[in-house]
Amino acid sequence: MNLRRLSLWLSLVPLVVGAGLYWLAWRGWADDFGAVMRTWFPGNTVAVAGFPYRMETEITAPALANVGPVTLSAKAARARINRGPWRPELTLVQAQSPQIIVGLDTAVRAVLTAPSALASVHVLDGRLERLSVSASDAAIALGFTAMTIRTGTFEVHVREQKPGAANTESPRLPIRGQMVLSGTGVRLGKGAPLVLAMEASAHGPARLIDYARWQAGGSIEVGSAVLSDPVGEVARAVATLVPGGAAANSANGAAAPLRLAGTIDTVCPASIAAAIAGTPPLSELRLRVPVRLSFEGSIGPGVALRLAGMPANLAARPRRGQLPACPRIR
């Protein structure tokens, strides 16, 4: 072997050694990832692949559940789960035929199903930094009404907020969590396809997972919930939801409802009123200037809302006759 060829082989030694060391490191990360997956899904076979960029496994019929005052459970026909070698706190999931259930003190319950979904879960030091779920052609069933919500596209992002120093001058308790929700082609029951955008935050004396402590003064603030159609904004609501509290529970253990109050700015007030009352939809032209309605009541296990502020001269108010009529809300 001449010196030139020997020199070439020697130059490859660091590369081979580096690749071997990386393989050993990746194998260790993969073993840790596999151990976590076996803890999450006991009884399932876990085979880790994805070298060199990620650790990945496929689970048949996965199911996770956190049962308690705050319920969060998920299951699917099959899921592909992966992590990056340097991001053990971030888990990505591709799920087939998923079902996700979220409940609050059994009074409020939402069940989401879809043909498929993508999710990312970022947990750091035992705190949910971010949970994101996106799905298409989803159906959402709400436990407090028989109405089903269907969507073209749907995204929800949830973040647990670590509160800063307490502000003794503010009547609002520290923020504990945030949620951003958006959807297109959203149909409320038999309503027209709408665009939904909502932002909400949870405030309270403790984390939401400690519901018994959180509900003592806790609240959910809906900063904005907007329904739009291709013409423009149909309605914009803000609201505050407050847990009924343990004292409101009946002797047989029934859940206390959530009390809520808020306002709705809308160019289609009669349509909004019909949707809330559950009466047949009507034909209505859009107002030139929105009106503000107020509402209050409770949800869970049923819905009881009272709407106020409907103008007495509504029929005489200027309308946008050149635009399409108000959409059917539900």
Side-chain angles (χ1 to χ4, degrees):
M1 181 179 295
N2 59 39
L3 293 177
R4 186 174 182 180
R5 183 170 298 178
L6 178 61
S7 174
L8 176 61
W9 281 108
L10 289 176
S11 68
L12 294 177
V13 170
L15 179 61
V16 173
V17 172
L21 291 175
Y22 181 78
W23 161 256
L24 292 175
W26 184 90
R27 189 66 263 169
W29 295 324
D31 289 343
D32 292 342
F33 175 68
V36 172
M37 293 298 103
R38 280 185 283 273
T39 300
W40 287 7
F41 309 108
N44 288 78
T45 299
V46 177
V48 181
F51 179 82
Y53 303 113
R54 63 189 181 277
M55 292 83 68
E56 182 175 278
T57 188
E58 287 198 11
I59 304 293
T60 301
L64 292 171
N66 174 53
V67 179
V70 179
T71 301
L72 177 60
S73 66
K75 64 180 181 179
R78 178 177 294 273
R80 178 175 296 174
I81 306 171
N82 71 74
R83 288 179 177 175
W86 300 281
R87 298 292 303 277
E89 75 281 3
L90 180 62
T91 305
L92 305 178
V93 182
Q94 295 175 294
Q96 301 299 318
S97 301
Q99 181 191 76
I100 301 172
I101 301 175
V102 180
L104 185 60
D105 196 25
T106 73
V108 178
R109 177 182 171 94
V111 181
L112 180 146
T113 56
S116 63
L118 296 175
S120 66
V121 186
H122 187 185
V123 177
L124 189 62
D125 298 329
R127 187 175 297 275
L128 182 63
E129 293 289 316
R130 186 181 180 92
L131 168 64
S132 297
V133 179
S134 62
S136 298
D137 300 322
I140 304 171
L142 303 174
F144 51 85
T145 175
M147 179 184 68
T148 298
I149 302 173
R150 302 190 181 277
T151 72
T153 63
F154 177 82
E155 289 189 10
V156 60
H157 307 276
V158 179
R159 182 191 304 273
E160 185 178 5
Q161 192 78 17
K162 187 174 182 179
N167 184 355
T168 58
E169 298 180 358
S170 174
R172 177 179 291 182
L173 290 172
I175 186 169
R176 298 292 176 174
Q178 295 175 304
M179 181 182 72
V180 176
L181 186 152
S182 63
T184 62
V186 177
R187 295 178 180 269
L188 308 180
K190 297 180 180 180
L194 302 170
V195 176
L196 170 65
M198 188 177 83
E199 296 181 1
S201 59
H203 301 256
R207 298 173 67 181
L208 274 169
I209 57 175
D210 188 356
Y211 186 79
R213 289 183 58 207
W214 175 83
Q215 70 173 346
S219 66
I220 298 173
E221 307 288 340
V222 179
S224 68
V226 181
L227 284 176
S228 307
D229 70 355
V231 177
E233 188 173 298
V234 175
R236 176 182 294 267
V238 298
T240 299
L241 293 85
V242 179
N249 291 349
S250 66
N252 62 4
L258 288 174
R259 303 191 305 273
L260 74 160
T263 61
I264 303 173
D265 294 307
T266 177
V267 293
C268 302
S271 299
I272 293 294
I276 291 176
T279 57
L282 43 80
S283 179
E284 179 183 20
L285 292 178
R286 301 167 199 252
L287 293 173
R288 290 189 175 274
V289 179
V291 299
R292 172 164 293 183
L293 309 176
S294 62
F295 62 89
E296 63 175 350
S298 62
I299 57 174
V303 182
L305 291 180
R306 296 175 295 278
L307 193 67
M310 190 68 72
N313 64 342
L314 183 61
R317 295 209 169 194
R319 306 274 176 169
R320 294 188 177 275
Q322 75 279 17
L323 296 180
C326 293
R328 176 173 176 162
I329 305 299
R330 60 173 288 183

